Amino acid sequence: MVRPAAAAKPATASPLAYLKRLSGGLLDWETLITLGLLMGPVTAVSAALEDGGWRANMPPLTIVSVVAVLTGTLLARSRLNVLLAGPLVILTGAAVVGWQTLVMAGPGTLHERLITVHDRFSAWFHIVSTNTVTNDPLPFNVLILTVTWLGVMLLVWSVYRWHNAWIGLIPGGAALFLDLALVGDNLTGAIAIYMLCGFLLVMQTNLLSSIAAWRREKAQYPAMINLTFLNFSFWVLLLLILGAWALPAGLSTPAPVQAIAEDTINFGARFARLAGPLQSKTVIPIHAYSGTLPFQGSVSLGNTELMSVTPSDPRLQGSLLLRGSTYDDYETGGWQTGARVTAPSLPPSNEQTLQDQITSGKIAGELVPLHIQMSAKTVVGTVIFSPGEPVSVSHNLTVQIPASSFTSRPVLMPGGGRDVSDAEVLATQLKPNEVGISVERDPLGNVTFVDIASIDRFGLIGDAEGLDPGGRIKRYESYDVTGFIPAYSVDELRNAGTSYPDWVTNEYLQLPSDLPGRVHGLAVTVIDAAAAAATPHLLGAPSTELGLPVPPYDVAVAIQDFLRKNYGIDYKVPDTPPGRDTVDYFLFDRLRGYFDYHASAMVVMLRTLGIPARLAVGFAVDDSDKDATGAYTVKDQNSYAWPEVYFPDHGWVAFNPTPDRSSQIAPTISDAPPPIAGLDPGITKFLPAGADPITNVPPGDISQDSPQGGVSLGGGATGTDWLALGVLAFIAALIGAIGLGWQRSVSGLPYPQQVWEKTVRLASWGGSPPLPGQTPHDYATGLGKRFRGVRDFPVLADAYTKSRFGHKEIDGGQAALLKEAWPDVRGALLGSIVRRIWPRHRREPRD
């Protein structure tokens, strides 16, 4: 009896094959090469941002980016429908970002951390709605992590699903552009790696798309073709990048790109108040001169030249403050400008009349004419800098003044003034001590009110808080400005009294409601100590209205000296802990900081005592900043902040509580002849002390924060090392991927077939592919004719034919012969590839 043959059992799929089917070929060597290329641009951007100049402690962008690449590759290469993969992308992203958020929230149990995150985000949303300033970096960090996850996912999805890497590379390029525009990091290395890996990724995705089409159509194509493309593309792109790097500098930025950069800076400046403490680098100064001045924590003051300031009088010496803007409203995380209105111009002033009054002794002070030229494309061009009260400016401008300092006066004109221009209305309605701001009209065009501001006793707008040029003053453009720096005696300021105008008390005594009471207590302690040391005739004088034991001037001096004596200089200031007031943290915990912190502390302490004060920012220069021509070279390291205290009938007076510079911050005009470059150094004996720019040492130890040049991947490392390491790492990864692909492509084949497949591939890359229908022996004969020094091609063909078509294993003698022949064959074929890439140019024989 013949029994029916048993049905063959289906082959059991190995776990590796099952995993490969589930992942959509994730373990394929082509996918691994693509994965390696994905890591290049992703880590170049994340490492640059994480190590750059945004803030002292950036979130772990690189870790999140790598996790996003691996997760995105698994999901994009899987067989999941986009309706399933999309929600998984969001859920995994939420899990990763949530995990990092809890890590950044600080120590504690899970429940405690969740409550902390809730409270900090609630406080942040309140700040958003109230238009104030935050010092909590957590919401901004969470936003950056979320955007990083989504940007990386877009790149991975565009590579694997859309086969169009250009779309996915846009977010990374935008991130590098924002870093350059807003922070100014040196990103040469990061950009080089991003471009190199990005272009290789574009080539790889396009080729994989073509390979997929060839496979569907069952078309023949050379094995390992993508390695050939990677090889040629890598060297071509590397030469192009090195060539672009070697091009001469000085090429102008295209106008559209420059406009986008400027708009980006302006946009970032408006929303910096919501980001928490941010650092600045060499291109963007520490102060953005926008409506918000957040405390930035640790900063690095660069050495980039921003402006050149040439005084008309070469005898000008000593400290000089160049005010760019002032800030009125204090919040726990920084300052804001407050409500402002704009006057169309400065009031007409006769500089010569002012100078005659100074010369005659009717008024005390100095007129300081300056010629200012922009030396870099930075935000310093968005304001006009003035030494003291602005008198005249050669550039078009509008004057910003506090909204509470102007008044509206009703106007009655014949016919309603409908046919009279605003300028003519103001000309007929203004008094000698007023400047016009605007004219109000009813719907019929009748003049109803004129808005005016007062002029001080010098004929100037003493309440000017900023000069707006109406647009950015570009690099190499210049303007002339004349400022008046009044000089008051101690007795004048001491006897100024406390009869402050209402607009001053309404505007310049503002404090946050949650300011810790111990700040006021410290201020009281300081003035009590000053009162104990004061002479009897000062006690109680014109300060009784405020309940102060000494006049406001002596209070200001006492607080200034207290801060200078007890609070040191430190540019590596940690971020203020969330929920803490920055001035309170500086005064009672940190005890060290730089000018923003010292000046803010003095303003806040004065306000707690009822003395109006505001914060001014700009640059501070002295004789050590002069060049051989006598011009001040203004750099980012000259950035400064100082308090200005209001004295009735005298206006704003500057003080300096920061100990890195002298408390005497007003310049003087020397009676000695100015130093002339090229003269014998002995001439300096005729100059007053401190007038020799050679022997003076710049205040503060700034050199340690000066950039050292070179190429940098981010903000903290030297550039050449980063670029070399990045290129070497990429080359090593590429070689490793090629080697892995080379071996995996023939793995599983018998040794004779492996050798023959490698021979065919190397010969094809060298320009000798097999012809259609050609047998292995015919192909071996042809190779032997081309490579006459190699006699072993028939040996390889015999072994291949016996293994491939005869299904027989070769014996030990044939195997030894094959292993002995293969190195000579491989060397000859590799030599043909090299000669094909770099052909030798032979000189043609002459006739």
Side-chain angles (χ1 to χ4, degrees):
M1 180 177 179
V2 179
R3 295 181 180 181
K9 295 182 179 181
T12 303
S14 66
L16 185 63
Y18 176 77
L19 180 61
K20 186 174 181 179
R21 288 198 304 271
L22 179 64
S23 63
L26 180 62
L27 301 180
D28 185 81
W29 66 271
E30 292 178 344
T31 304
L32 294 177
I33 292 178
T34 306
L35 181 63
L37 292 176
L38 276 169
M39 290 294 183
V42 167
T43 55
V45 175
S46 62
L49 297 180
E50 188 174 341
D51 190 43
W54 287 89
R55 66 166 77 255
N57 298 306
M58 283 290 284
L61 300 179
T62 303
I63 294 177
V64 173
S65 298
V66 171
V67 174
V69 170
L70 297 176
T71 305
T73 300
L74 180 63
L75 293 176
R77 293 288 294 168
S78 69
R79 302 180 184 277
L80 294 177
N81 186 280
V82 65
L83 297 178
L84 295 176
L88 286 177
V89 167
I90 297 175
L91 290 175
T92 53
V96 172
V97 174
W99 159 52
Q100 287 298 323
T101 301
L102 293 176
V103 171
M104 292 183 293
T109 64
L110 176 61
H111 179 69
E112 292 171 342
R113 293 187 183 190
L114 289 174
I115 293 177
T116 300
V117 171
H118 175 270
D119 293 342
R120 291 170 69 172
F121 268 89
S122 297
W124 186 78
F125 282 116
H126 175 73
I127 288 172
V128 172
S129 61
T130 56
N131 199 36
T132 52
V133 184
T134 182
N135 62 356
D136 189 355
L138 180 63
F140 178 78
N141 288 348
V142 172
L143 174 63
I144 292 297
L145 290 176
T146 303
V147 172
T148 298
W149 180 271
L150 295 177
V152 173
M153 282 297 175
L154 177 63
L155 174 60
V156 174
W157 207 263
S158 66
V159 168
Y160 289 117
R161 289 287 179 107
W162 302 332
H163 299 294
N164 187 349
W166 287 109
I167 298 176
L169 289 170
I170 292 176
L176 293 176
F177 177 81
L178 288 173
D179 192 288
L180 286 172
L182 296 178
V183 182
D185 284 333
N186 187 356
L187 300 178
T188 307
I191 292 174
I193 295 175
Y194 187 82
M195 292 175 59
L196 183 61
C197 295
F199 280 116
L200 290 177
L201 194 61
V202 170
M203 185 281 303
Q204 175 78 349
T205 53
N206 290 337
L207 183 59
L208 290 180
S209 179
S210 300
I211 289 176
W214 295 338
R215 288 174 177 173
R216 288 193 301 269
E217 298 171 1
K218 298 182 179 180
Q220 295 293 327
Y221 62 91
M224 306 289 288
I225 187 175
N226 59 335
L227 296 183
T228 302
F229 275 82
L230 282 174
N231 177 49
F232 281 99
S233 300
F234 172 77
W235 293 111
V236 171
L237 290 171
L238 186 60
L239 290 175
L240 289 176
I241 292 174
L242 293 177
W245 191 9
L247 284 176
L251 300 178
S252 60
T253 305
V257 176
Q258 181 62 28
I260 294 175
E262 293 178 358
D263 292 341
T264 302
I265 293 175
N266 295 334
F267 177 83
R270 289 196 299 271
F271 290 95
R273 65 183 183 88
L274 302 177
L278 293 176
Q279 297 184 67
S280 63
K281 300 296 283 185
T282 57
V283 176
I284 299 181
I286 183 174
H287 301 135
Y289 305 99
S290 62
T292 302
L293 178 68
F295 289 108
Q296 300 189 50
S298 178
V299 296
S300 177
L301 299 181
N303 202 36
T304 299
E305 182 178 344
L306 304 176
M307 298 187 303
S308 176
V309 179
T310 306
S312 298
D313 192 339
R315 298 175 301 158
L316 188 72
Q317 68 175 36
S319 298
L320 178 65
L321 297 179
L322 301 171
R323 187 176 65 194
S325 183
T326 61
Y327 292 89
D328 313 333
D329 296 343
Y330 172 72
E331 301 294 337
T332 58
W335 290 85
Q336 295 194 90
T337 55
R340 292 182 176 182
V341 296
T342 56
S345 63
L346 292 170
S349 175
N350 190 330
E351 293 184 34
Q352 187 58 50
T353 302
L354 271 175
Q355 185 60 58
D356 292 342
Q357 290 179 312
I358 295 172
T359 305
S360 65
K362 292 183 179 180
I363 59 176
E366 297 290 347
L367 274 176
V368 182
L370 302 174
H371 177 76
I372 300 179
Q373 183 180 53
M374 297 295 108
S375 302
K377 298 176 181 178
T378 70
V379 295
V380 298
T382 59
V383 295
I384 288 178
F385 292 87
S386 170
E389 296 186 30
V391 177
S392 64
V393 179
S394 63
H395 197 283
N396 294 330
L397 57 81
T398 56
V399 185
Q400 298 176 342
I401 61 176
S404 57
S405 69
F406 84 95
T407 57
S408 295
R409 186 166 58 229
V411 174
L412 294 176
M413 299 188 68
R418 287 188 295 270
D419 298 329
V420 182
S421 66
D422 289 356
E424 292 173 325
V425 172
L426 292 174
T428 59
Q429 297 296 317
L430 295 179
K431 299 177 181 179
N433 63 336
E434 295 176 342
V435 61
I437 296 176
S438 61
V439 175
E440 299 181 25
R441 298 175 182 267
D442 62 17
L444 299 178
N446 298 313
V447 177
T448 55
F449 292 90
V450 290
D451 299 329
I452 59 174
S454 299
I455 297 176
D456 62 19
R457 60 193 180 100
F458 305 115
L460 308 174
I461 302 181
D463 305 321
E465 294 196 300
L467 304 178
D468 184 1
R472 186 184 300 274
I473 302 175
K474 300 178 181 179
R475 187 180 186 184
Y476 302 128
E477 291 185 350
S478 61
Y479 58 89
D480 296 317
V481 58
T482 298
F484 174 62
I485 303 177
Y488 302 110
S489 67
V490 171
D491 288 338
E492 285 183 281
L493 296 178
R494 184 170 284 154
N495 297 318
T498 58
S499 300
Y500 303 114
D502 290 340
W503 68 268
V504 171
T505 56
N506 292 337
E507 190 78 23
Y508 300 104
L509 292 178
Q510 171 273 339
L511 288 171
S513 58
D514 57 349
L515 179 72
R518 60 179 181 173
V519 175
H520 171 71
L522 180 63
V524 171
T525 301
V526 172
I527 63 171
D528 285 345
T535 55
H537 75 278
L538 296 181
L539 302 180
S543 56
T544 52
E545 296 179 14
L546 299 180
L548 301 174
V550 292
Y553 170 77
D554 295 278
V555 172
V557 172
I559 293 178
Q560 170 189 261
D561 295 344
F562 171 77
L563 293 172
R564 292 178 63 86
K565 179 180 179 181
N566 296 284
Y567 296 85
I569 295 296
D570 188 0
Y571 295 99
K572 305 301 180 183
V573 180
D575 295 345
T576 303
R580 290 287 306 275
D581 181 88
T582 302
V583 165
D584 176 81
Y585 179 68
F586 167 73
L587 289 174
F588 296 97
D589 294 84
R590 184 60 189 170
L591 306 180
R592 297 179 62 83
Y594 50 91
F595 37 81
D596 282 356
Y597 292 83
H598 291 80
S600 299
M602 180 169 175
V603 173
V604 171
M605 292 174 72
L606 287 172
R607 288 187 177 186
T608 64
L609 300 173
I611 300 175
R614 68 184 183 185
L615 182 75
V617 297
F619 296 100
V621 294
D622 54 33
D623 296 331
S624 65
D625 298 304
K626 288 184 178 180
D627 59 19
T629 65
Y632 297 99
T633 300
V634 180
K635 303 178 180 180
D636 192 20
Q637 64 189 29
N638 293 107
S639 299
Y640 218 60
W642 60 93
E644 294 183 346
V645 184
Y646 189 85
F647 293 90
D649 298 325
H650 294 78
W652 297 100
V653 177
F655 290 80
N656 183 25
T658 310
D660 62 339
R661 293 180 181 268
S662 171
S663 60
Q664 303 299 320
I665 49 179
T668 59
I669 302 297
S670 172
D671 294 331
I676 302 176
L679 290 184
D680 186 272
I683 190 130
T684 57
K685 66 183 181 180
F686 298 104
L687 301 179
D692 180 11
I694 298 177
T695 58
N696 281 354
V697 178
D701 185 11
I702 306 175
S703 60
Q704 61 183 353
D705 293 323
S706 299
Q708 300 300 318
V711 183
S712 173
L713 176 66
T718 57
T720 306
D721 294 340
W722 274 114
L723 180 61
L725 290 175
V727 173
L728 289 176
F730 175 78
I731 293 175
L734 186 62
I735 293 174
I738 292 174
L740 178 64
W742 175 266
Q743 289 300 128
R744 286 184 61 85
S745 63
V746 297
S747 62
L749 296 177
Y751 182 68
Q753 296 183 40
Q754 290 186 20
V755 173
W756 182 255
E757 288 293 336
K758 293 178 180 179
T759 301
V760 173
R761 292 174 185 177
L762 292 177
S764 300
W765 294 344
S768 301
L771 299 177
Q774 194 174 28
T775 66
H777 286 91
D778 291 340
Y779 184 50
T781 301
L783 292 177
K785 291 179 180 180
R786 179 180 177 185
F787 302 96
R788 297 187 181 275
V790 181
R791 300 173 179 261
D792 298 319
F793 287 108
V795 175
L796 274 62
D798 289 341
Y800 171 72
T801 302
K802 182 178 180 179
S803 175
R804 174 68 176 84
F805 301 107
H807 303 288
K808 297 179 180 180
E809 295 183 1
I810 60 176
D811 55 29
Q814 288 178 310
L817 185 62
L818 192 62
K819 291 181 179 179
E820 182 180 353
W822 169 239
D824 293 337
V825 172
R826 180 179 57 194
L829 297 178
L830 289 174
S832 68
I833 296 174
V834 173
R835 288 191 295 273
R836 188 182 184 189
I837 298 175
W838 290 288
R840 297 179 180 178
H841 298 283
R842 298 179 180 177
R843 183 178 298 175
E844 297 294 336
R846 296 182 179 178
D847 296 335

